[in-house]
Amino acid sequence: MKKQIILMSLLLGLTFGACEDNKEQYLDQYSTITYFRNSGVDELTLYKTGVDTDYSIIINKAGSNLNTATSVNMLVMNEIELNYYNNRNSTNYEILPTDCYQINGETALNFEPGETSKKVGVVFKTNTIDELMTAHLNQEYVLPLQLVESADSINSQKKMLLIQPKVLIPTISFRKKGMEEIVYGGDGTDVFTYSYIVGMSLKNQWTFDCTIDIDEEALEAYNEKNGTDYELLSKDVYEMPTTLTFVPGANDIQLNVKIDYSKLICGTYALPFKLLSVSNANFVVDETPCILGIIYKAPRVDLTVDMLYCNRPQSGSEGNLANLLDDNVKTYFHSSYNAVDRIFDHYLQIDLKEPVRAFQYSYTTRDSSGNGNPIGTVVKVSEDGVNFIEVAHITQGLPTDKAAEYLSPILKSDTPVRYIRLENDGALNGRPYFVFSEFSFYGK
């Protein structure tokens, strides 16, 4: 981050060179004016890799006649000059010792006609600076530079450059972290590859490895925090390298995660992984995990009326199960509301013909009234249509409004099942019946 600290134009003539005399107010009288392109305080990040850091200082020439030659000197401030700066700007900078840097090239700069910029190189001694800052943790060091003694004019607001080095240990990290959720609908393609970028913030000059590991604790923490129930992917479902190799010139590298959906049933899964270690001792890894979340949606089952059964249907048109499959919310199916059938055992049963291990169902409530909306559903499954096992008791998230849609969570069975029974646990009005206008089923 660059912080521009602007000084007032009137500085001590002896301290900072009495070469402007507010000439910027009368630039039309002067053919050239020089200044630092990155004037002010420039925070420079030095990465602790055992390699020194190069920095380029740019001095520009502007003015009414760029075809005029000019000259200017670039000098390091002395303690008196920097103290004056600190007092004016409420800072407490110290001059970076000379063994911490090396200025390459001439500092007496001569601009030829038509020449608009000069570059001066500085090499910062990263290890020496790190030792200095480690020994003086509360001190801020800068390389304070100023432009003086111009043959023409110097911009008084841009004549100072204070380079403030900060030493950091370079970090290898995923460019994108946290949860990435993928929805898979079983569209015929079984194998998908998902890519993640691992990189660094500096130009890579080394060959080294990073290791990757599964982070089960991250998934547990995510589920607990978000109220989710992602299941950890088993090892036979995915392929992911455990080592990535960086080579010189490669700042980023791609991690590919291959998922074979043919080995999954419908449900919600996740693969949590993180960077574990790096073989280059000058680097560290960011262990913030990535989580590949998978929502495997069950394909829709094409229901027909003969696949549906209700043990207590209402007589007449209200008890017509075909109303559940006609894509018309104005029609509905009503289980019996006769006094003789006011027993809490009403259910809707689906014969899937083909067994499934995971499934969802959805329904739309009646368009004209919400009285028959279920307040609870006991979901049972069976292989033979005789012996049923409870797999869920749903009481949360059920709609209370008219013409409202509901989609159940993905439910699973340990063994393939053909029959699904939805036992009504009561309606909003306290009666045992239920009313749906539409019904759909999804399973695999």
Side-chain angles (χ1 to χ4, degrees), residues 79 83 111 121 136 184 192 219 244 253 269 291 301 324 382 409 417 422 444:
E79 289 189 11
N83 286 339
F111 287 84
H136 303 85
Y184 176 74
F192 281 83
L219 180 57
L244 296 176
I253 193 166
Y269 304 91
I291 302 178
V301 176
L324 295 175
S382 172
V417 292
L422 307 179
K444 182 176 179 180

Side-chain angles (χ1 to χ4, degrees), residues 236-274:
D236 64 318
V237 174
Y238 66 90
E239 292 180 16
M240 183 180 71
T242 57
T243 302
L244 296 176
T245 300
F246 282 85
V247 296
N251 298 343
D252 293 323
I253 193 166
Q254 185 168 288
L255 170 69
N256 292 322
V257 181
K258 184 183 293 185
I259 305 295
D260 186 350
Y261 287 97
S262 68
K263 299 178 180 179
L264 286 174
I265 61 173
C266 309
T268 53
Y269 304 91
L271 183 64
F273 51 93
K274 66 179 180 180

Side-chain angles (χ1 to χ4, degrees), residues 363-365 370 373-374 397-401 404-407 428:
Y363 62 80
T364 303
T365 60
N373 293 6
L398 300 176
T400 59
D401 295 334
E405 295 183 2
Y406 171 74
L407 177 64
L428 287 176

Side-chain angles (χ1 to χ4, degrees), residues 12-29:
L12 292 179
L14 176 62
T15 304
F16 296 117
C19 53
E20 299 90 347
D21 297 328
N22 291 325
K23 291 179 183 177
E24 67 273 14
Q25 298 178 16
Y26 312 99
L27 288 179
D28 56 338
Q29 302 178 23

Side-chain angles (χ1 to χ4, degrees), residues 365-432:
T365 60
R366 180 169 45 173
D367 179 62
S368 57
S369 171
N371 284 340
N373 293 6
I375 60 172
T377 303
V378 178
V379 183
K380 295 182 178 181
V381 298
S382 172
E383 297 179 31
D384 56 11
V386 177
N387 301 296
F388 284 83
I389 300 172
E390 180 178 328
V391 293
H393 186 184
I394 300 173
T395 59
Q396 301 295 320
L398 300 176
T400 59
D401 295 334
K402 298 181 292 183
E405 295 183 2
Y406 171 74
L407 177 64
S408 77
I410 296 175
L411 305 173
K412 297 180 181 180
S413 171
D414 293 334
T415 58
V417 292
R418 173 176 169 174
Y419 300 90
I420 312 296
R421 180 177 291 180
L422 307 179
E423 295 185 355
N424 193 46
D425 202 18
L428 287 176
N429 60 3
R431 301 294 176 86

